[in-house]
Amino acid sequence: MNRLNVNRFFFALFYAPRIVSNATVISPTRKSSNMRQSTLLLPTLKENPADADVASHRLMLRAGLIRQLASGLYTWLPLGLRVLRKIEHIIRDEMNISGAQEVMMPIVQPAELWQESGRWQKMGSEMLRIKDRHERDFCLGPTHEEVITDIFRREVHSYKQLPINFYQIQTKFRDERRPRFGVMRAREFIMKDAYSFHLDQESFDATYQEMYDCYSRILNRMQLTFRAVQADTGNIGGDNSHEFHVLASSGEDTIAYSPAGSYAANLEKATAMAPAAAPAPGQDLEKINTPNEKTIDAISKLLNISASQTVKTLVVKGVEGPVAIILRGDHELNKIKAAKLPSIASPIEFADENEIIQSMGAHPGFLGPVNCKIAYLVDRDAAALADFVCGANEDGVHFTGANWHRDSPLDDDQIVDARNVVEGDAAPDGEGTIEFLRGIEVGHIFQLDKAYSEPLEASVLDKEGVSQIPIMGCYGMGVTRLVAAVIEQNHDDNGILWPQPLTPYDLHIVALNPQKSEAVREASEKLYNEALATGLEILLDDRDERPGVKFADADLIGIPQRLIVGDRGLKNNVVEYKKREEKEAIELPLDQVIAHVTRRIV
Ligand code: ATP
Ligand code: MG
């Protein structure tokens, strides 16, 4: 075999199957106009749209991937849809490999099912409710636990059919309070959701691990930098819950992780370690007048002390009347962790000013644990203070030198973890300290237990013929959000840089002044056909536009490889080849250029 043949052999072995499998996602039709920019709907924008706050939103609009129909509702234009389909293809592929079975459930769901699970009332205004012509209640599915459990209870009857994992790639509707960042937080979006059913915890644990691995494979195939982090399970509880976050400075979530160890959790969930116990009191309790000092900042300034030597007192609604939560002055309440405390109402609701005055006898700004008339809980770090400053439950007055036990009773069961961790805290796994990263939540896997199977009375017969209620798992992935997340991680000042597995086209052929040059028209057509025959997906810029406009658009839409076909090069039988991320183009002989391109698709 000579060298060229060896190359061809390896090309056939390694690359050809990939290209073929890509081509099955979007079959290249020679006659179709969808690869020619002169006819393709690809409305690029020169200017940044005014209302787009993050790079992905700006670029998705500018590169002609999406258009907004109304708040949180988007049309996917041809270029965007190609990327979306590739993401779906990778997800579907990996879900199938993991043994999950694809189904597709209706978007419109009857109220009765949601009444059975108890969520018709609970869901609140995120759920869009509609009526049919007979005045029957329906909703647009924000999620599909009820529907899948209904299918299960009708169709699955024996332990022999378990475990079973169903998934779909389907539109969801959630009437988000603040739709924003384009498709990142939309009202209508596409989710891959999966639901598994098991007779025992061991079987659930195996599928959970399988889904964890599957999500990692999916995000790796998309060449994303991501982290799986411990997450909150909402009302369901339990420790089996991980979110998958694509790391990006624009992410809405904060991830607390330890660079030295393996700890990583959503800030909502991250545990604050208990500090050493409080030292013995050193000061006497003293009242001071503070007529204008209503904030931690003001009182710390007045006394020239650090905020960490003060405590703040928040009054929230409890299961039986108001409850005060005491935090160190420099710490923030973690509403998710606090709402999980048994005596506190969930979701957390702050008492209003009237309730505070009635229950505490003072205005907010002057509250504290000494002489506190209502039940109180104390965060671990506040409980470790001695000689601290707090409000005196009397307007215009604070205490200095306050100490637990001596001035304010404190039982062990009043000490709780209710604050947000901060950078520099000790990591809960004992390895190093906490640092923060920003992340975009693209996936969430968690244990549902019997939260749906029990109320919907799903059951199977076990080996002994005894009816058993299955435990369930639930695995969501934001398909449309992923497009935005990919762009957040892959862009520069000029536009998008698509990772090869997701690029809408493999190759961008840019014909310079084709309207003026027969040679350019012919050569670009020829290259286009040659590349098409290898199974590549090509976008041909055959428009009658200035070269500068074409280059700017090419950078904006970000196809990884580009050929520039111009009269000057053609005179020497060469075309220019440029990778999107590189500054300089190189010249390649016309007859070698397509082989060069295909070799670079890995
Ligand atoms: P978030 O905290 O971002 O609101 P969630 O906890 O409501 O997310 P899930 O119900 O777990 O999300 O949904 C699974 C996945 O669907 C999420 O991980 C996210 O990627 C995606 N997703 C959720 N809400 C939206 C939305 N409004 N727009 C786009 N994608 C979304
Ligand atoms: Mg949500």
Side-chain angles (χ1 to χ4, degrees):
M1 247 192 260
N2 64 26
R3 194 143 173 240
L4 193 69
N5 278 342
V6 171
N7 275 347
R8 279 208 189 117
F9 173 72
F10 279 107
F11 173 74
L13 204 64
F14 292 112
Y15 302 132
R18 239 200 66 76
I19 293 171
V20 170
S21 79
N22 253 352
T24 54
V25 185
I26 302 153
S27 44
T29 39
R30 241 169 240 255
K31 286 197 186 97
S32 131
S33 61
N34 71 359
M35 294 191 176
R36 291 174 192 275
Q37 255 172 282
S38 56
T39 46
L40 181 70
L41 181 65
L42 208 176
T44 54
L45 307 172
K46 274 203 202 71
E47 304 299 329
N48 276 330
D51 52 352
D53 296 330
V54 292
S56 57
H57 189 196
R58 281 195 294 275
L59 290 169
M60 288 184 80
L61 291 167
R62 285 192 55 206
L65 269 55
I66 52 164
R67 283 296 179 264
Q68 181 176 309
L69 173 67
S71 169
L73 305 179
Y74 291 89
T75 296
W76 288 81
L77 298 181
L79 202 72
L81 191 59
R82 292 178 80 93
V83 178
L84 189 62
R85 292 287 181 249
K86 289 196 176 181
I87 293 178
E88 285 180 1
H89 174 71
I90 290 174
I91 294 175
R92 186 172 275 120
D93 201 33
E94 293 297 340
M95 287 300 291
N96 289 341
I97 289 171
S98 79
Q101 305 180 22
E102 186 169 5
V103 295
M104 193 156 84
M105 295 176 264
I107 297 174
V108 177
Q109 305 180 12
E112 287 78 10
L113 261 184
W114 290 77
Q115 281 153 355
E116 272 191 74
S117 72
R119 286 209 288 183
W120 184 254
Q121 302 302 335
K122 269 195 216 149
M123 283 301 283
S125 42
E126 228 179 63
M127 187 152 88
L128 186 65
R129 293 151 215 259
I130 47 176
K131 283 189 193 293
D132 72 1
R133 65 171 74 203
H134 307 295
E135 291 291 304
R136 289 194 200 108
D137 287 316
F138 290 85
C139 67
L140 288 190
T143 177
H144 281 75
E145 284 85 0
E146 281 79 357
V147 182
I148 199 71
T149 311
D150 181 60
I151 282 287
F152 182 92
R153 68 180 172 184
R154 288 167 193 268
E155 306 302 335
V156 181
H157 303 293
S158 161
Y159 74 95
K160 288 183 194 153
Q161 294 166 281
L162 301 191
I164 198 161
N165 191 7
F166 299 107
Y167 80 96
Q168 65 171 351
I169 295 178
Q170 174 64 297
T171 297
K172 304 275 187 249
F173 191 94
R174 293 181 185 178
D175 203 352
E176 297 276 354
R177 185 196 305 267
R178 274 188 75 197
R180 58 190 178 144
F181 306 150
V183 298
M184 199 100 87
R185 184 167 297 286
R187 294 198 295 169
E188 188 178 299
F189 60 97
I190 298 175
M191 195 200 286
K192 185 287 298 167
D193 45 331
Y195 307 91
S196 67
F197 295 82
H198 311 265
L199 262 195
D200 54 44
Q201 187 66 31
E202 200 184 340
S203 159
F204 169 79
D205 288 344
T207 299
Y208 186 83
Q209 186 60 46
E210 178 60 50
M211 284 295 99
Y212 186 105
D213 296 342
C214 176
Y215 275 37
S216 304
R217 293 197 304 270
I218 290 168
L219 300 176
N220 278 326
R221 270 178 74 172
M222 293 171 61
Q223 298 179 5
L224 286 163
T225 308
F226 68 94
R227 269 196 99 132
V229 308
Q230 292 174 26
D232 175 52
T233 40
N235 296 328
I236 288 152
D239 279 338
N240 276 322
S241 174
H242 283 89
E243 286 169 355
F244 287 76
H245 285 264
V246 167
L247 304 183
S249 55
S250 59
E252 286 184 287
D253 286 85
T254 301
I255 298 167
Y257 79 110
S258 122
S262 58
Y263 186 78
N266 194 314
L267 179 62
E268 288 178 346
K269 154 105 183 169
T271 310
M273 297 305 289
Q283 299 174 4
D284 292 334
L285 187 68
E286 231 175 89
K287 260 189 189 177
I288 51 163
N289 284 329
T290 52
N292 303 313
E293 282 71 27
K294 291 185 188 170
T295 62
I296 295 290
D297 252 10
I299 194 82
S300 322
K301 250 192 210 130
L302 177 80
L303 299 172
N304 197 21
I305 53 169
S306 145
S308 61
Q309 204 46 46
T310 69
V311 301
K312 59 179 156 196
T313 304
L314 307 168
V315 183
V316 300
K317 302 212 165 146
V319 182
E320 297 162 10
V323 177
I325 303 179
I326 322 285
L327 297 165
R328 218 169 74 182
D330 58 330
H331 284 155
E332 296 295 329
L333 178 71
N334 182 312
K335 291 185 196 162
I336 308 271
K337 288 198 288 188
K340 290 223 155 103
L341 300 170
S343 60
I344 289 181
S346 173
I348 208 116
E349 216 183 309
F350 290 97
D352 61 31
E353 192 161 309
N354 277 338
E355 285 170 293
I356 291 176
I357 296 166
Q358 265 184 11
S359 57
M360 304 287 287
H363 280 82
F366 304 103
L367 311 179
V370 181
N371 303 331
C372 180
K373 296 174 198 70
I374 62 171
Y376 56 90
L377 298 171
V378 182
D379 181 71
R380 288 167 176 174
D381 285 81
L385 290 178
D387 303 330
F388 57 87
V389 173
C390 59
N393 298 321
E394 190 183 329
D395 283 351
V397 183
H398 275 79
F399 281 123
T400 60
N403 282 277
W404 298 112
H405 305 292
R406 186 190 72 186
D407 309 319
S408 177
L410 184 61
D411 286 339
D412 282 353
D413 59 5
Q414 284 175 278
I415 303 176
V416 295
D417 174 14
R419 70 165 172 103
N420 280 336
V421 299
V422 293
E423 286 186 293
D425 276 353
D429 63 359
E431 294 183 58
T433 52
I434 291 290
E435 285 183 22
F436 285 172
L437 283 171
R438 302 294 293 177
I440 301 167
E441 181 198 323
V442 294
H444 191 183
I445 60 175
F446 60 105
Q447 179 159 358
L448 289 174
D449 255 330
K450 297 180 181 170
Y452 299 94
S453 46
E454 205 157 53
L456 268 68
E457 296 179 0
S459 66
V460 289
L461 295 180
D462 68 11
K463 262 192 193 131
E464 279 75 43
V466 179
S467 177
Q468 300 276 1
I469 298 170
I471 57 174
M472 292 172 63
C474 160
Y475 319 92
M477 189 165 244
V479 183
T480 39
R481 182 180 283 184
L482 269 165
V483 181
V486 168
I487 296 173
E488 287 296 329
Q489 267 191 6
N490 297 278
H491 70 270
D492 63 15
D493 289 346
N494 298 328
I496 303 168
L497 288 98
W498 290 112
Q500 177 59 38
L502 305 178
T503 180
Y505 297 92
D506 299 309
L507 176 64
H508 199 173
I509 302 178
V510 180
L512 298 185
N513 299 312
Q515 70 284 7
K516 291 187 199 149
S517 163
E518 173 79 27
V520 166
R521 281 203 302 278
E522 257 180 30
S524 51
E525 264 328 293
K526 194 161 168 280
L527 287 170
Y528 175 76
N529 284 318
E530 203 187 319
L532 211 53
T534 66
L536 290 180
E537 297 170 281
I538 310 113
L539 181 64
L540 173 63
D541 191 351
D542 54 347
R543 295 174 303 164
D544 178 5
E545 284 284 1
R546 282 186 297 110
V549 171
K550 292 193 171 198
F551 293 144
D553 277 352
D555 277 349
L556 185 57
I557 63 182
I559 294 163
Q561 304 196 73
R562 185 185 311 167
L563 295 181
I564 302 137
V565 186
D567 262 330
R568 198 150 37 101
L570 288 178
K571 284 198 184 105
N572 301 320
N573 271 329
V574 294
V575 290
E576 281 187 21
Y577 169 84
K578 187 179 162 312
K579 284 180 142 183
R580 170 64 180 83
E581 73 272 21
E582 280 167 9
K583 271 217 160 70
E584 304 298 330
I586 55 167
E587 288 191 337
L588 289 172
L590 259 181
D591 58 351
Q592 287 172 28
V593 71
I594 297 303
H596 186 87
V597 170
T598 49
R599 272 204 298 276
R600 265 147 195 81
I601 298 181
V602 282

